[in-house]
Amino acid sequence: MGAVRRIDAARAGRPGPATADPIVQVRGITKRYGSTEALKDVDVDVPRGKLTTLLGPSGCGKTTLLKIVAGLLDATAGEVLVNGKPISGPGPERAFVFQDFALMPWATVITNVAFGLEMRGVPKAERLETARHCIREVGLAGFEDRYPHELSGGMRQRVGLARALAVSADVLLLDEPFSAVDEQTRRKFQEDLLRLRHQENKTFLFVTHSIEEAVYLSDAIVMLSRRPGRVNRIIEPAIDRSGSPDEIRRDRHYLDTVEEIWHSLRDFVE
Amino acid sequence: MTLFGVRVPMMASLILWCVLWEIVGRLDLIFLVPPFTAVLAAAWELVNTGTFQRATVTTLWAFFVGMGFAIAVGVPVGLLMGRVPAADRLLGMWVNVFVSAPLSALVPVLMILLGMGETTVVATVFLFAVWIIVLDTRAGVQHVPASLLEMARSYGAGRWRTLTRIVILSALPEILAGIRLGMIRGVKGVVIGQLLISIIGYGELFELYSRNFLMEQFWALTILLFAFAMLVAEGVGMLEKKIEYYAGVRQ
Ligand SMILES: Nc1ncnc2c1ncn2[C@@H]1O[C@H](COP(=O)(O)OP(=O)(O)O)[C@@H](O)[C@H]1O
Ligand SMILES: [Mg+2]
């Protein structure tokens, strides 16, 4: 299948697929909400400096898994290692971008972006400078003193992204960050994300239910099955991203991969 | 308000009622209702007397001290109930009983406990105002978006800073609404307290006027009190509007 390299999780043996340098290791994570089993025995390695996507139908436990990695939720069983050490809660090496933005409506853009730094005790002048830099980075220069309600959905999510960038975490965790914005904004945002990924040496763990988005952005796609979510398989779409966004979207490997994922998902949708 | 399909502004309808009052008063039908203009004149005279001014100072003092305590206790208790389920279960029943109980019935008990003085009036104001402040604060805390709390946690905010930087600010619209309603109840409290004790502040004046059938003064005092209650509520209402914009933005 050309440039599409696949690793079947089941065949590669546990724990998960072999990755040279995983920054996040998810080991045997199971999560139950009362009697609902959301995740069952999930193993995932997130390679350093890459963009990894969690893809799966809605309700399969993507948000749950991401929040467990963030340290916001406790797993029923299993553990998460970051840089080889087990986590016991949120940490400075991870930053979360929320699906509903989670901005403080009473605070300006710059105060929102500087929030993480403020919590870390960074002096005011320094944190405002960092925040200003990150606001520029996500293309919101000039909006520093606006309030969230004065911004569009896409701009609000950029604020959320800038806040995550500001704390210079190694791992950015993004929960369907574009689900609440319109299609044009979404595409623009995806391109910005690709650019950021090249500029900053960061690891992205990204949740989406859009196959196109996953293939367009990812170095690796972790496909989760329906509830209880399990790692179904891992796809590494080796797409040549040197061309323009339109060229990439017409690229044969891109289209093939989208098609292939669609077929394999359809198997367990039905 | 609409009258015969025409929108009538608040002030216009108020004027209409005043005119009606004046006519009834002039007709001399009921001695309880003197003409409105006579009441206004009495009000003007009243505010210029030393007795009234002293009574006003006494009343305002009792009101604001009582309100101060009600806010100082009500907001923290509401925060506690909103954040700690165990505290909510422990206190919830009592707060709900007291918020709708006929509290005037308790004032005589307060008189026995605290004597026939200022303290009892302050305690009455507190008792009338505090419960709604607790309930509204609690509601505000419970409506803080879960994702804002997660956001704070994920960026390393501890309990204290989550409370001061997220919870209180997010619940501020409800807290202020609680304080506004608390103040309206507090005005009731101060009047009922003084009336029942009837040797303090306006209560003493009311007692004096009604015993001697000084209806003009009686109504003048009543109107002044109503105006004060409205002014207080309006003031907090204005403060609320200032921050209202973000209440609507919250999910
Ligand atoms: N707090 C919760 N209590 C009970 N069930 C939950 C809770 N959160 C999620 N679930 C359930 O767990 C499953 C996975 O949820 P989620 O992780 O949000 O899925 P996804 O993000 O993939 O749509 C869903 O079936 C959902 O109903
Ligand atoms: Mg989700």
Side-chain angles (χ1 to χ4, degrees), chain A residues 57-64 99 175-176 207 209:
Chain A
S58 139
C60 75
K62 304 182 295 292
T63 298
T64 302
Q99 187 167 7
D175 187 11
E176 305 207 29
V207 163
H209 61 246

Side-chain angles (χ1 to χ4, degrees), chain A residues 176-248:
Chain A
E176 305 207 29
F178 314 142
S179 64
V181 305
D182 58 70
E183 187 60 28
Q184 281 114 311
T185 315
R186 190 183 177 108
R187 290 207 172 182
K188 177 82 180 58
F189 219 141
Q190 290 168 355
E191 281 148 33
D192 287 351
L193 199 62
L194 282 180
R195 180 178 53 78
L196 271 174
R197 201 178 78 64
H198 285 291
Q199 275 170 17
E200 315 243 339
N201 188 27
K202 290 193 190 303
T203 307
F204 291 83
L205 184 57
F206 185 92
V207 163
T208 184
H209 61 246
S210 158
I211 300 173
E212 282 87 359
E213 184 166 276
V215 179
Y216 183 73
L217 292 173
S218 318
D219 299 304
I221 301 172
V222 177
M223 288 174 59
L224 295 173
S225 64
R226 315 223 92 189
R227 210 179 67 202
R230 309 199 52 173
V231 177
N232 185 253
R233 60 179 196 163
I234 293 172
I235 294 177
E236 298 186 12
I239 286 164
D240 174 20
R241 294 199 177 82
S242 56
S244 73
D246 288 332
E247 279 166 9
I248 299 173

Side-chain angles (χ1 to χ4, degrees), chain A residues 105-174:
Chain A
W106 56 84
T108 56
V109 165
I110 194 157
T111 311
N112 267 291
V113 172
F115 182 79
L117 296 170
E118 190 187 343
M119 291 302 112
R120 286 183 195 181
V122 177
K124 186 159 186 181
E126 194 184 327
R127 69 173 187 256
L128 290 186
E129 194 185 315
T130 311
R132 210 164 270 129
H133 171 80
C134 295
I135 291 169
R136 216 176 308 124
E137 192 115 317
V138 298
L140 278 183
F143 289 92
E144 287 85 353
D145 297 322
R146 298 297 189 85
Y147 286 88
H149 70 99
E150 299 175 302
L151 307 179
S152 69
M155 290 159 93
R156 286 184 211 175
Q157 194 52 293
R158 284 167 194 272
V159 178
L161 185 59
R163 177 175 57 197
L165 289 173
V167 293
S168 54
D170 304 323
V171 187
L172 292 186
L173 307 165
L174 304 96

Side-chain angles (χ1 to χ4, degrees), chain B residues 36-47:
Chain B
F36 184 64
T37 43
V39 172
L40 282 186
W44 177 249
E45 253 171 56
L46 192 60
V47 291

Side-chain angles (χ1 to χ4, degrees), chain A residues 67 72 96 100 118-119, chain B residues 147 150 153 155 161 165:
Chain A
K67 283 189 176 164
L72 290 170
F96 205 97
D100 64 355
E118 190 187 343
M119 291 302 112
Chain B
S147 75
E150 280 187 333
R153 203 152 87 77
Y155 286 101
R161 276 190 302 185
R165 295 298 316 276

